[in-house]
Amino acid sequence: MCGIVGIVGKEPVNQSIYDALTVLQHRGQDAAGIVTWGKDGLKSRKSNGLVRDVFQQRHMLRLSGNVGIGHIRYPTAGSAQSSEAQPFYVNSPYGICLAHNGNLTNQDELTEHLTREDRRHLNTGSDSEVLLNVFAHELQKRTDGEPTAEQIFDTVDAVHDRCSGGYAVVAMIIGHGIVAFRDPNGIRPVLFGERDTRNGKEYMVASESVALDSLGFSNAQDLKPGEAVFIGNDGSLHRREYQGKTSYSPCIFEFVYFARPDSVIDSLSVYKARLRMGEQLAGQIVREWPDHDIDVVIPIPDTSRTAAVQVAYHLGVKYREGFIKNRYIGRTFIMPGQAERTQSVRRKLNAIDLEFRNKNVLLVDDSIVRGTTSRQIIKMAREVGARKVYFASAAPPVRHPNVYGIDMPAASELIANGRTVEQIEELIGADRLIYQDLHGLIRSVRHDNSDISQFDTSCFSGVYVTEDVTEGYLRDLEKARSDAAKARTNQKWQLPELTRSSQQTSSDEALSA
């Protein structure tokens, strides 16, 4: 999962893009990048690390220009050390920079076609670079001079025809403007908004509405499945819907875990969806366990707080904050490796013993993926004196890989894969385990938006909205992207890290020259 930002402004956009990326930092903590364009040409800075660490004052001063895009990344593929920070750049036609959130499920096929037929060279194993070269090749076929909005939209349509998977894209066509588009199934989110300044109207695209809100952009509108928006450097706005086959199928895990609660995605409030998840979960607990002996409900911070409040309210028991979070530790789910996840749990959370001692505690979390955090937290609760520790998940069991941009590609690493609830209960050490059912989750999220035909629930149901996800594809994906595969890749990159870092800096400087 990643975060993307693009701004066409009337004033320098470097600080606005930086601020937007910090707001979206929850979507990725591995790498960050910004590319801007103005009268001084193209300027770039990207590297591994958090936004605050990647961009120092000297970098920000160099990122001049009124047009730019930004990206924050966590490694769905590759490794944390592989220096695949975005945006990516290709010099023909015009010069194009691209940032991408999602995953292409036909990457291998596209890579072979690009190298053999389109005669394009790829420098990394990233599907974002593949997508950039597909876009660049299709744009070059359609333009001979100044690109028009219609030619750009025809190019996006061709990308949709060639690419499969879930993707939200922002690309800067240097000297001309910014284009943003979304996959025909609408799996990954992207929206745009506007703000008035003393010099005229500015436009912004981003992964979540909270980024627009924080910078004063209003009139936020989601891109429809397959839709594209082009914002010219002159401030003109153009939109076109995709005329091919579409299905409004946003990723439901955005609402469960990834998105900030103050975001609105596809006209649905993430906060309200999580409130309803708590209501549905409480109803399920009452149906399955009417004579429960729960003394207190405690959330696993932060994503589950909203649901946990509703669980406590509808069960008629106390709600308490039992864990204090160290906010300088990253989100464990998106850490690149099991060892890092396990080590970080106790550094990240500390239990308040008076909320646990001699009580029957219901811990509420948004989901259980690998089980690492759940197991460690239950153990912590027992160590500080809980009499019994029950566990509830606001999402159903995660039994299947996600192939559209969420880092759960290996079925063998999912604690619920091939196991019953009772077996999972024993593995994480809970006295009782309760899962939300899938119908309850869908009801919680959909609510007010009847335009959504379905959700991508593949990690729960095993049903994939694109037709190219076969058993063979999933086996190959597990081999390539499991934690073991990432560990091997990290080891491969470990020694040359200093050399690569200097090369990265050099390439940034060269691009900015």
Side-chain angles (χ1 to χ4, degrees), residues 26 53 79 146 163 205 213 217 219 231 238 267 329 336 354 404 408 434 461 465 472 477-478 484 494 506:
H26 60 284
D53 299 322
S79 70
E146 187 86 5
C163 296
V205 298
D213 296 340
F217 284 81
N219 194 28
I231 307 160
H238 312 267
S267 302
I329 300 292
L354 93 91
Y404 301 124
M408 49 174 86
I434 303 100
S461 64
V465 298
L477 192 71
E478 178 157 356
Q494 190 171 6
S506 299

Side-chain angles (χ1 to χ4, degrees), residues 18-242:
Y18 176 95
D19 292 342
L21 292 180
T22 61
V23 171
L24 296 175
Q25 187 76 84
H26 60 284
R27 298 185 68 86
Q29 301 159 6
D30 171 51
I34 296 175
V35 176
T36 60
W37 184 86
K39 63 181 180 180
D40 296 326
L42 188 66
K43 304 294 180 182
S44 172
R45 167 62 181 171
K46 57 181 182 175
S47 186
N48 291 341
L50 299 174
V51 174
R52 68 184 182 214
D53 299 322
V54 170
F55 302 103
Q56 306 300 315
Q57 185 177 16
R58 66 183 186 277
H59 304 127
M60 296 299 293
L61 291 172
R62 188 160 51 86
L63 289 168
S64 59
N66 294 358
V67 181
I69 64 175
H71 184 266
I72 50 102
R73 172 187 187 261
Y74 93 101
T76 305
S79 70
Q81 285 85 22
S82 61
S83 290
E84 292 180 357
Q86 299 181 36
F88 285 122
Y89 170 80
V90 67
N91 66 356
S92 177
Y94 310 109
I96 302 172
C97 298
L98 179 143
H100 160 230
N101 171 33
N103 183 59
L104 299 181
T105 52
N106 63 337
Q107 178 182 352
D108 292 344
E109 173 190 330
L110 289 169
T111 299
E112 183 177 359
H113 193 277
L114 281 168
T115 53
R116 289 190 179 184
E117 303 295 330
D118 297 345
R119 298 186 179 182
R120 285 186 168 265
H121 175 72
L122 301 176
N123 295 304
T124 72
S126 171
D127 60 337
S128 301
E129 189 188 16
V130 170
L131 208 160
L132 167 61
N133 277 272
V134 171
F135 179 86
H137 179 77
E138 295 297 336
L139 183 62
Q140 191 164 30
K141 285 167 55 177
R142 288 165 173 76
T143 55
D144 184 16
E146 187 86 5
T148 66
E150 288 305 307
Q151 289 170 332
I152 292 168
F153 292 142
D154 288 343
T155 298
V156 173
D157 288 352
V159 170
H160 291 329
D161 292 341
R162 291 182 62 174
C163 296
S164 181
Y167 51 89
V169 175
V170 60
M172 179 168 63
I173 304 172
I174 296 167
H176 300 285
I178 284 178
V179 58
F181 55 92
R182 189 179 189 184
D183 67 85
N185 292 299
I187 298 173
R188 300 268 69 88
V190 63
L191 66 166
F192 73 97
E194 60 188 45
R195 70 179 177 188
D196 293 317
T197 71
R198 60 187 178 184
N199 295 320
K201 195 178 291 292
E202 298 182 324
Y203 292 97
M204 174 179 175
V205 298
S207 294
E208 293 185 34
S209 66
V210 65
L212 281 73
D213 296 340
S214 68
L215 294 175
F217 284 81
S218 60
N219 194 28
Q221 300 175 59
D222 299 281
L223 291 185
K224 297 177 182 179
E227 185 180 11
V229 58
F230 174 67
I231 307 160
N233 285 352
D234 60 358
S236 59
L237 175 71
H238 312 267
R239 297 178 69 175
R240 192 169 89 179
E241 294 186 23
Y242 180 51

